[in-house]
Amino acid sequence: MANYFNEEFETLPRVALEALQLKRLQDMLERIYNNVPFYKHIFDQRKITPKSVKSLDDLQNLPFTTKKDMMDSYPYGLFAAPMEEIVRIHASSGTTGKPTAAGYTGKDISLWAEMMARSLVAAGANKGDIIHNSYGYGLFTGGLGAHYGAERLGASVIPMSGGNTKRQVMIMQDFGSTVLTCTPSYALFIADEVKAQKIDFKNFKLRIGVFGAEPWSEAMRNEIEKKLNISAVDIYGLSEIMGPGVAIECREAKSGLHIWEDNFIPEIVDPATGERVKEGESGELVITTVTKQGMPLLRYRTRDITSITYEPCVCGRTHARISKFMGRSDDMLIIRGVNVFPSQIESILVGIEGVEPQYLLIIDRKGNLDTVQLQVEVDESLFSDEIKVLQVLSKKIEKEIKDTLGVTCSVKLVEPKTIERTEGKAKRVIDNRKF
Ligand code: DLL
């Protein structure tokens, strides 16, 4: 089985990789300075020119691009290529107000397909695979992104999109799907359906899962691998930068996601000060796209919290690895002064027998005090049991959360399958506080 999709670039020695990054960065700066008035304006204001950048280190003196800049330029203000060259437009899922639009030239689409093909191979897939793609097709980049990558690899892609889970299970079994691509929460949803139909994943041909678009813990990986009888890896991406395939775990290490550095220069910064943090320390991921033509972005603040390592990896890829994401800086909840990421709750729940990692956090403010109710689904086997067992279980969850996160919450156990499932990104928090 091939180990790499593009061996030369995936294993480029670091010195060569960094030289390539610098060259591409300098070209990209010229491109945005000459074609995007927004960038010309801030460069002129700060008296910087594309020529000011002589080394990769100089990048940190350049301005950031933020989500707000994208919104202010909505929809096409940051495009660097004329509309004649833009062949596709995607948009972020944006929960409030307008989405952000991203335009791609034909070259960008081709580059994206290669990044996704590299990612699939890193996950362990190859030409002979049948890729069951349950990411949503549409403005969301998941469906089409994974689709083009699978085709570039030369695998057979089944363009399922999300929804109609019964049919998904039938197709998966009948067509002998070997790779599943979807959100991790939807993978668990499919597992529930398989269980409800009293079929066993051991009778399926599925062997690999490529899951992303939302944070998921190591504990959730173990749960998914066990339930679906597969090897599962984490994939990262965002519409503003490209979609799925910006970074991927390799099947050999499953320890950090290789970010394709020949196209994306990553930096990790302190979200409050914007200063770079040390290797291994967590902070906000900032990405500069050095090869994109349609909408190149300079130092884009992703708001995703991770850390980076340049340590060599057993798989032989030389591209740096970012750690599994804690969540987004704007998803971080501050409950009675304590910082909490929903993914930490998930990790705790996966470790407790009798409950499913399906939960909903409801936060209110009574007087000046935050109150938290955590609704958790229990296992079918437990729900029919006597009240006392359920009481003991809720106390146990409350104690684990208090001990691990330092947050007091009241747990409400709910019947199996009562918490709303989505085929896309899971909704885990309802915050009723008014700030
Ligand atoms: O979620 C692109 C994607 C599709 C990635 C399919 C992976 C698989 P957006 O809808 O623009 O794009 O959302 C991007 O989702 O900034 C992160 O906050 C979050 N996200 C994406 N992948 C991961 C991941 C797609 N593996 C936003 N772990 C990003 C944690 C993730 N969060």
Side-chain angles (χ1 to χ4, degrees), residues 93 135 140-142 212-215 234-240 243-244 304 325 328 425:
S93 30
Y135 284 119
F140 175 57
T141 50
E214 62 188 11
D234 193 359
I235 184 163
Y236 172 75
L238 60 168
S239 338
E240 298 92 311
D304 293 319
F325 291 86
R328 294 171 62 84
K425 299 178 194 244

Side-chain angles (χ1 to χ4, degrees), residues 62-207:
L62 299 182
F64 292 117
T65 310
T66 63
K67 182 95 174 172
K68 178 165 186 313
D69 296 328
M70 300 226 28
M71 276 149 64
D72 292 347
S73 316
Y74 178 79
Y76 302 146
L78 291 181
F79 286 15
M83 266 347 244
E84 291 79 1
E85 286 175 28
I86 300 288
V87 300
R88 174 110 58 87
I89 299 167
H90 278 285
S92 74
S93 30
T95 43
T96 49
K98 303 256 190 215
T100 45
Y104 305 77
T105 63
K107 228 171 145 181
D108 292 337
I109 297 286
S110 170
L111 173 87
W112 180 9
E114 174 177 339
M115 294 311 107
M116 189 64 213
R118 284 189 196 178
S119 301
L120 288 166
V121 173
N126 57 55
K127 274 174 186 280
D129 273 305
I130 299 177
I131 300 186
H132 187 105
N133 185 21
S134 306
Y135 284 119
Y137 283 64
L139 280 180
F140 175 57
T141 50
L144 286 166
H147 184 110
Y148 274 56
E151 283 191 354
R152 172 65 67 87
L153 172 60
S156 317
V157 53
I158 308 176
M160 284 304 302
S161 200
N164 203 340
T165 312
K166 279 197 172 55
R167 191 174 157 82
Q168 299 253 2
V169 169
M170 181 187 77
I171 297 283
M172 196 178 284
Q173 199 173 20
D174 293 353
F175 288 16
S177 312
T178 54
V179 178
L180 172 63
T181 51
C182 63
T183 56
S185 49
Y186 194 54
L188 279 180
F189 192 21
I190 295 178
D192 283 349
E193 179 58 38
V194 168
K195 194 169 162 205
Q197 292 188 23
K198 302 203 168 33
I199 334 174
D200 192 331
F201 267 110
K202 296 218 165 73
N203 304 325
F204 284 45
K205 295 230 169 74
L206 210 59
R207 54 187 192 90

